[in-house]
Amino acid sequence: MSDKKGKLGLYWASSCGGCEIAVLALHEKILDVAAAFDIVFWPCVMDFKYEDVEALEDGEIDVCLFNGAIRNDENAHMAHVLRQKSKVLVAFGACSFGGSMPGLANFTDKDAMFDWIYKQSPSTDNPQGTLPQKHSQVPEGELTLPNFWRTVKTLAQIVPVDYYLPGCPPEAHQIEAAVTAIVTGQLPPPGSVIGPDVTVCDECSRTKNEKKIKHFYRPQEIIPDPDVCLLEQGLFCAGIGTRSGCGALCPQVGMGCRGCYGPNEGVLDHGAKILTGIASVLDANTPEEVDKILDTLPDPAGYFYRFHLPQSLLRRRALGNGQKQTAKTGEAT
Amino acid sequence: MSEQRVGVYVCHCGHNIAGTVDVEHVAEWSANLPNVVISRDNKFMCASTGQEQIEEDIKEFDLTHVVVASCSPHMHEKTFRNACARAGLNPYLFEMANIREHASWVHASDKDGATNKAKSLVSAAVHRVIHQEPLQPMQVDIRPETLVVGGGIAGIQTALEIADAGYHVYLVEREPSIGGHMAMFDKTFPTLDCSACILTPKMFDAGSHPHITLLSYSEVEQVDGYVGNFTVRVRRKARHVDEDLCTGCGSCWEKCPIKVIDTVFEAGLGSRKAIYRPFPQAVPKYPIIDVENCTYYKSGKCRMCEKVCPTEAIRFDQEDEILEVEVGNIVLATGFQLFDPRRIPNYGYGRLENVFTNLEFERLSNAAGPTEGKIVLRDGVTEPESVAIVHCVGSRDKNYNSHCSAICCMASLKFAHLVMEKTGAKVYNFYIDMRSISKGYEEFYHRIMEEGASFIRGKVSEITDAAHTPEEEGKLILVCEDTLIGRPRRVPVDMVILSAGLEPRADAQEVGYMFGAGCGDTGFFTERHPKLDPVATVTEGVFIAGACQGAKDIPDSVAQGAAAAARVLATISKKQVNLEPVRAEIDESRCSGCRICNNMCPYHAIDFIEADGVSRVNPALCKGCGTCVAACPSQVINGAHFTFDQLIAEIDGIMVDVTAGALEVV
Ligand SMILES: Cc1cc2nc3c(=O)[nH]c(=O)nc-3n(C[C@H](O)[C@H](O)[C@H](O)COP(=O)(O)OP(=O)(O)OC[C@H]3O[C@@H](n4cnc5c(N)ncnc54)[C@H](O)[C@@H]3O)c2cc1C
């Protein structure tokens, strides 16, 4: 890169904000970033308006780190704008990569979700049954809310993405490595996931043996042996099918990998891969025994698809009654 | 990717395909599929003209890939691969679409549907084939030694055939003597020649052959390696007799004070000593000490056998020995076990004294047996005046075994003959259907009918000693519906023989697993092809023969034994075998050593390399089944010829809208 400073944009769509914190977790390294880039857009941290970014030239942003899934018109609009304005668009973090937690909404639909959130949940007091409205008139004029989609999408399902930086959130050392790669121009081929193509097991120091699972336990039910593979001890661990890069943080402290770094290269469906891996080592000979073991694993869909439902082959739970999605927005027609 | 040029050949298979599928249309339509440069239909692709067409086109059109749409790859994949190879194209650049079994035969009443499906299947193959890669078979050397497991008639035959051809055989038999079930019989159907007379010469030959190492009273514990190079660990159980010194003179068992009921060879009807040889013609001739019953092992006293042994061959402290042998091929001839008729409580076996099993009857009738061949009731003296023989006990019955045990009809006729010949008793055969299908069997059936045996067609529902009439008093009454006269009947007799069926051995699953031979749903070992490859298994270099493959009689067991020997000899004389290159490979640079795949492999082909923290497939052991490929959660195991790209392309191909395309093609 020339001595001229590059331009960096950061944006959060549908996400928790953890990815923003992860950038700040670079600590003093953030100064290197500031030295290399002018930050032209980072609404979470500095006061920018959408008009500011819309006013930029096409391709003016050198690198945009985009976190969060796409679940409403506003998210999608910003995805399109930032794609247009950025030379390199990075899907940053698990939500923009695979849909992640927001994406679990694809196991249900908008109506059911609104019903629970705004009416049924125990902490809600909403006697009129008011639901969010796209347009509402107030004395000061009309207020609008972005259209909320039925189906959560990943960034790459909306616009072309150049690189993926997985993780919930991405680890500081990986962000650093990615930024360094961008600054020095040593980037992998476009479309790549930045990070090693091995699994969490590779970084996990626990001893691995041949596996046979007779029973699944929840973390609070047993005190696992500190030196042996958690999966072998019946603790669900997605590390067998999840890209490494995190340093196996969770399994090292006795908590099974949740799968936030997503699948390895070439895997079409993260959940299905972990599922087949685990199903392969159930210690069962009959369908009844299989059922018995699987009954000890609560919420299998949540375990297997926690971070990648929208990006998986499944995409979402089938919409009943012949409802179809429109190709572009995922909105039910 | 350089230019792909695919040739498509759609076979009529006479009327087999063309009678249902519009073959010409499929060929025309396929011409428009991506990369297809020539598409033809042909009456019989497998005929030499069909094959030559492929060869000519490969040269003329510079084909890079070939698709034949015809029958199952089981039938002709080899044929067309060879045709490609003759024209200089790597055989793995060929793909087959099965439009016969998968389209014309199963959709015979739906011509349009079958035609559309054929198009989908061709499209799948065309999309897939361009992703296929040239593969080279792996060559391995064949060790000339062979392991035969099981010394029944089938195993003996195999061992002798191979040894006679000059190659060494290790014959491993679990029991103290070879001979198997046949050694227990009196006469053999349908010729009624004495079983021992025809068997013992073969046993003797097997025991003394310079090219046979007989490992009796031994069991295989572990098998490693692959075709041509198996390493087998055999446990030689301690006989407590020094075979180098023992002459088999018999002083020891004559003097041994402990009598034990012999539940194996004498089927519980006779007894033996605590040091014993199972039967006089046993091979080898050496006795063994039954440690469970011998006084010495209980109290440290007695040692009678040791005192009387003229050659000082008794070894109380002898221990099991572990032997490792290296062999190129393995033949399993582990035989069958008898159905336990106690499982049918209404037949009263074990509760009603004079209900016998067929094996018990063989021992009763055998001149060397416990009654010296006299057919008597359980009291040991009374000759029966009437005998019932019940067929199909535990066979052809979905509660027990649904298969036909194949030998019971004939064995039951044999029993009828022996009873009538030796006692003059009245004989009733209770049968469901008579099956006398082999050479001389129908004639044997007629002979027994002429000799005066009665035949009642009906399944016996109960055997009881609860009399309804004075004539039934003290008798066993068989209750059944006589389906020929359409009435229930009660037939009182003195003795009942249950023709219990042939079952897979209780340990067949485990034994099969150890050797890489699977068991089908009946539990017998599965042959590679039920018609065309009946003595091979899916594991290269592992063959099966005799009743372990399915219930069968002696002639068929001998034939299979010889067939397996021929297969072994063929590989030995080739000195090398080509192994299918369709196998799995782990990308070690991407394997994280999670070990999910390790115990998936039915062929024990995957090892974990501790030092590198990765798993590795032994290519010679791998059969390319794909189990590990599917299981690998990080998708770093590649199944050659079934790669991820190939499968996805195949799915893409099958999703092509064949009806839309149909409108465009004229
Ligand atoms: C009552 C009865 C009467 C019959 N009469 C006739 C007849 O008249 N004519 C006829 O043609 N057929 C007859 N048959 C059928 C005949 O018994 C079989 O066809 C024949 O015995 C099959 O031979 P085989 O060698 O396959 O099995 P088997 O005779 O069962 O021999 C198998 C051998 O393998 C050994 N073995 C098993 N497992 C292992 C192991 N894991 N390791 C080492 N060794 C092992 C066993 O100890 C045994 O010696 C009769 C069957 C029965 C039950």
Side-chain angles (χ1 to χ4, degrees):
Chain A
M1 202 166 274
S2 68
D3 30 300
K4 211 179 103 239
K5 268 178 144 189
K7 287 184 177 161
L8 178 69
L10 297 100
Y11 183 68
W12 66 350
S14 183
S15 64
C16 68
C19 287
E20 309 280 338
I21 309 295
V23 176
L24 297 175
L26 285 172
H27 301 302
E28 71 282 0
K29 291 267 165 44
I30 195 101
L31 298 175
D32 295 349
V33 176
F37 292 101
D38 282 331
I39 294 172
V40 295
F41 187 58
W42 195 0
C44 173
V45 173
M46 297 179 233
D47 186 14
F48 290 100
K49 300 287 181 246
Y50 287 172
E51 296 85 68
D52 298 335
V53 70
E54 280 158 4
L56 295 173
E57 295 285 314
D58 285 0
E60 193 177 332
I61 303 175
D62 290 291
V63 182
C64 175
L65 305 181
F66 189 109
N67 77 74
I70 310 297
R71 73 134 29 121
N72 62 32
D73 286 352
E74 183 189 15
N75 300 155
H77 171 70
M78 286 312 293
H80 285 292
V81 170
L82 286 166
R83 172 69 279 183
Q84 205 179 339
K85 305 295 174 192
S86 309
K87 287 199 189 77
V88 173
L89 179 66
V90 180
F92 185 88
C95 293
S96 61
F97 180 19
S100 194
M101 300 297 150
L104 289 174
N106 290 359
F107 278 128
T108 170
D109 61 29
K110 176 180 159 182
D111 294 341
M113 211 161 37
F114 274 25
D115 186 56
W116 173 253
I117 294 168
Y118 294 107
K119 294 181 183 166
Q120 309 294 343
S121 69
S123 59
T124 303
D125 181 28
N126 181 5
Q128 269 105 48
T130 311
L131 291 178
Q133 300 299 314
K134 277 188 254 180
H135 304 277
S136 40
Q137 289 300 331
V138 292
E140 293 82 1
E142 191 189 50
L143 290 179
T144 57
L145 280 177
N147 183 32
F148 189 97
W149 293 0
R150 186 186 282 273
T151 296
V152 176
K153 301 265 177 163
T154 69
L155 180 59
Q157 285 165 352
I158 303 298
V159 292
V161 166
D162 298 306
Y163 296 104
Y164 302 86
L165 194 59
C168 180
E171 279 303 304
H173 71 271
Q174 282 204 298
I175 303 174
E176 196 192 315
V179 171
T180 312
I182 293 167
V183 171
T184 57
Q186 287 167 344
L187 278 164
S192 304
V193 176
I194 297 175
D197 186 20
V198 283
T199 67
V200 174
C201 296
D202 197 64
E203 295 187 312
C204 176
S205 61
R206 289 173 178 269
T207 310
K208 287 123 202 146
N209 302 295
E210 288 197 2
K211 296 180 191 355
K212 272 194 177 269
I213 303 177
K214 258 252 157 313
H215 192 286
F216 287 102
Y217 298 96
R218 310 200 66 184
Q220 72 272 22
E221 289 177 322
I222 57 165
I223 297 176
D225 182 318
D227 301 322
V228 176
C229 165
L230 292 172
L231 193 55
E232 285 161 33
Q233 303 184 59
L235 288 169
F236 180 90
C237 181
I240 51 170
T242 299
R243 192 183 280 268
S244 73
C246 58
L249 289 175
C250 300
Q252 302 284 45
V253 297
M255 180 57 73
C257 165
R258 291 299 174 242
C260 73
Y261 268 64
N264 278 62
E265 212 54 59
V267 172
L268 275 188
D269 191 308
H270 191 211
K273 254 316 182 190
I274 301 168
L275 174 68
T276 32
I278 286 184
S280 302
V281 292
L282 294 186
D283 193 5
N285 292 315
T286 63
E288 293 74 33
E289 282 171 29
V290 172
D291 284 347
K292 229 176 104 196
I293 300 175
L294 287 182
D295 282 347
T296 62
L297 185 72
D299 186 21
Y303 266 121
F304 293 117
Y305 286 97
R306 187 178 300 230
F307 290 96
H308 270 76
L309 181 61
Q311 195 233 23
S312 70
L313 288 173
L314 300 180
R315 300 280 159 106
R316 63 159 300 118
R317 197 188 68 186
L319 291 162
N321 312 330
Q323 293 171 331
K324 283 227 175 92
Q325 295 175 291
T326 56
K328 274 244 160 59
T329 64
E331 184 66 351
T333 47
Chain B
M1 219 184 258
S2 59
E3 202 202 349
Q4 310 288 8
R5 302 175 61 81
V6 181
V8 176
Y9 301 86
V10 187
C11 180
H12 292 234
C13 195
H15 283 298
N16 274 311
I17 297 172
T20 310
V21 169
D22 183 347
V23 176
E24 283 104 356
H25 169 67
V26 175
E28 276 169 35
W29 180 84
S30 303
N32 290 347
L33 287 169
N35 303 307
V36 173
V37 293
I38 177 79
S39 176
R40 304 179 187 273
D41 62 287
N42 186 303
K43 276 261 178 309
F44 288 104
M45 277 311 296
C46 61
S48 55
T49 46
Q51 295 185 52
E52 282 155 18
Q53 179 81 69
I54 298 178
E55 292 172 52
E56 284 161 22
D57 286 357
I58 289 175
K59 289 177 190 144
E60 188 182 336
F61 296 98
D62 228 350
L63 298 182
T64 57
H65 298 85
V66 170
V67 169
V68 174
S70 57
C71 50
S72 161
H74 275 300
M75 288 296 299
H76 279 304
E77 188 173 58
K78 257 207 180 121
T79 311
F80 300 125
R81 278 186 181 172
N82 288 341
C84 291
R86 282 196 299 273
L89 191 69
N90 184 286
Y92 294 89
L93 300 175
F94 159 79
E95 180 63 15
M96 204 156 171
N98 182 355
I99 59 166
R100 193 178 72 174
E101 283 85 339
H102 290 179
S104 67
W105 280 358
V106 282
H107 305 295
S109 56
D110 177 8
K111 292 191 174 191
D112 288 345
T115 301
N116 282 338
K117 187 166 175 188
K119 283 153 69 180
S120 295
L121 294 169
V122 173
S123 166
V126 167
H127 278 77
R128 177 194 213 281
V129 77
I130 55 158
H131 294 274
Q132 288 176 199
E133 288 153 15
L135 300 173
Q136 301 301 336
M138 214 174 83
Q139 280 206 330
V140 294
D141 291 338
I142 298 282
R143 290 192 71 98
E145 298 85 357
T146 304
L147 172 76
V148 176
V149 185
I153 184 60
I156 292 175
Q157 186 70 29
T158 311
L160 287 174
E161 300 272 0
I162 297 171
D164 283 346
Y167 298 103
H168 202 84
V169 176
Y170 296 95
L171 176 56
V172 174
E173 166 58 52
R174 170 183 283 171
E175 297 293 330
S177 170
I178 55 173
H181 283 96
M182 193 179 165
M184 301 157 94
F185 305 157
D186 178 19
K187 299 275 167 57
T188 56
F189 63 73
T191 43
L192 297 175
D193 36 3
C194 143
S195 192
C197 310
I198 55 175
L199 176 64
T200 48
K202 280 187 180 284
M203 288 169 60
F204 181 80
D205 285 353
S208 57
H209 203 291
H211 292 311
I212 296 180
T213 304
L214 175 56
L215 303 170
S216 61
Y217 204 42
S218 299
E219 260 171 273
V220 175
E221 287 197 332
Q222 197 181 325
V223 183
D224 289 310
Y226 45 87
V227 57
N229 302 274
F230 293 106
T231 305
V232 182
R233 201 167 73 197
V234 183
R235 175 178 295 270
R236 303 206 66 188
K237 293 175 277 189
R239 280 180 179 261
H240 302 288
V241 169
D242 187 333
E243 293 182 19
D244 292 337
L245 299 176
C246 174
T247 60
C249 72
S251 315
C252 54
W253 64 79
E254 274 159 29
K255 291 285 169 351
C256 171
I258 303 296
K259 236 186 185 184
V260 184
I261 303 275
D262 182 354
T263 52
V264 180
F265 192 77
E266 294 295 4
L269 288 183
S271 59
R272 57 166 172 82
K273 295 296 183 61
I275 183 165
Y276 71 104
R277 180 163 81 181
F279 53 101
Q281 306 94 326
V283 172
K285 62 191 173 196
Y286 319 114
I288 67 165
I289 296 181
D290 164 7
V291 173
E292 260 172 42
N293 290 298
C294 169
T295 316
Y296 172 78
Y297 291 96
K298 287 182 186 154
S299 62
K301 303 224 176 67
C302 182
R303 310 181 86 130
M304 180 57 90
C305 49
E306 194 181 44
K307 280 172 216 146
V308 299
C309 177
T311 57
E312 299 183 354
I314 304 294
R315 295 281 176 275
F316 289 116
D317 57 355
Q318 196 180 54
E319 284 184 1
D320 290 3
E321 223 183 289
I322 303 290
L323 203 76
E324 248 182 29
V325 299
E326 312 251 308
V327 297
N329 290 282
I330 296 174
V331 180
L332 300 179
T334 50
F336 65 95
Q337 72 181 28
L338 203 66
F339 172 79
D340 179 1
R342 284 185 189 81
R343 288 169 58 194
I344 311 181
N346 34 333
Y347 283 0
Y349 179 71
R351 176 166 50 85
L352 303 172
E353 252 201 327
N354 290 313
V355 178
F356 290 79
T357 66
N358 40 359
L359 264 189
E360 285 178 323
F361 180 82
E362 291 282 0
R363 296 312 299 156
L364 274 187
S365 184
N366 194 311
T371 58
E372 289 167 346
K374 283 203 278 297
I375 296 170
V376 287
L377 298 183
R378 201 72 73 172
D379 63 10
V381 285
T382 318
E383 237 181 43
E385 286 170 14
S386 50
V387 176
I389 303 167
V390 182
H391 296 216
C392 297
V393 175
S395 310
R396 305 182 66 202
D397 181 337
K398 67 178 187 325
N399 297 315
Y400 307 103
N401 292 306
S402 44
H403 68 261
C404 166
S405 287
I407 60 101
C408 321
C409 283
M410 289 300 118
S412 299
L413 294 175
K414 173 176 80 175
F415 304 152
H417 168 85
L418 292 170
V419 170
M420 292 186 295
E421 181 184 69
K422 293 188 176 182
T423 66
K426 177 93 190 104
V427 174
Y428 304 92
N429 276 276
F430 290 83
Y431 70 103
I432 312 178
D433 296 294
M434 280 305 293
R435 296 189 167 174
S436 47
I437 51 166
S438 288
K439 196 168 176 180
Y441 287 12
E442 186 68 12
E443 293 85 335
F444 185 58
Y445 175 27
H446 282 271
R447 170 177 167 186
I448 305 305
M449 282 198 285
E450 277 156 25
E451 284 175 4
S454 297
F455 289 83
I456 298 171
R457 187 172 182 278
K459 195 169 164 67
V460 174
S461 60
E462 190 188 1
I463 299 168
T464 173
D465 57 358
H468 285 185
T469 60
E471 302 86 74
E472 290 182 0
E473 227 37 89
K475 302 268 184 189
L476 294 169
I477 305 106
L478 288 92
V479 185
C480 85
E481 186 191 309
D482 186 330
T483 57
L484 292 182
I485 55 173
R487 268 202 288 121
R489 282 182 72 169
R490 290 172 65 86
V491 181
V493 295
D494 296 326
M495 179 187 213
V496 176
I497 305 167
L498 300 178
S499 276
L502 275 52
E503 280 186 337
R505 292 207 179 251
D507 61 359
Q509 285 272 2
E510 282 161 54
V511 172
Y513 185 71
M514 181 160 60
F515 290 96
C519 294
D521 38 346
T522 55
F524 291 108
F525 294 145
T526 311
E527 57 287 332
R528 183 175 291 176
H529 189 284
K531 281 158 259 177
L532 304 178
D533 213 351
V535 298
T537 68
V538 287
T539 299
E540 220 103 23
V542 175
F543 300 91
I544 47 178
C548 62
Q549 180 260 357
K552 60 177 61 65
D553 57 17
I554 295 166
D556 283 358
S557 301
V558 170
Q560 280 203 337
R567 294 293 299 275
V568 169
L569 289 170
T571 66
I572 296 176
S573 68
K574 274 201 287 191
K575 296 197 170 64
Q576 285 190 323
V577 280
N578 281 342
L579 298 185
E580 268 273 323
V582 176
R583 54 195 74 238
E585 192 181 0
I586 297 179
D587 178 350
E588 290 179 20
S589 71
R590 295 171 64 215
C591 171
S592 306
C594 71
R595 305 192 65 179
I596 289 280
C597 60
N598 286 191
N599 51 12
M600 287 278 84
C601 179
Y603 309 100
H604 316 291
I606 305 180
D607 291 318
F608 182 65
I609 312 299
E610 204 78 54
D612 305 335
V614 295
S615 297
R616 190 172 294 161
V617 177
N618 180 335
L621 284 179
C622 173
K623 295 276 160 283
C625 71
T627 310
C628 62
V629 179
C632 175
S634 51
Q635 202 164 299
V636 301
I637 311 185
N638 184 47
H641 211 55
F642 291 90
T643 66
F644 194 67
D645 288 352
Q646 290 163 9
L647 297 183
I648 295 292
E650 193 168 0
I651 295 171
D652 286 346
I654 216 156
M655 302 301 273
V656 164
D657 185 352
V658 293
T659 49
L663 299 174
E664 288 161 23
V665 179
V666 242

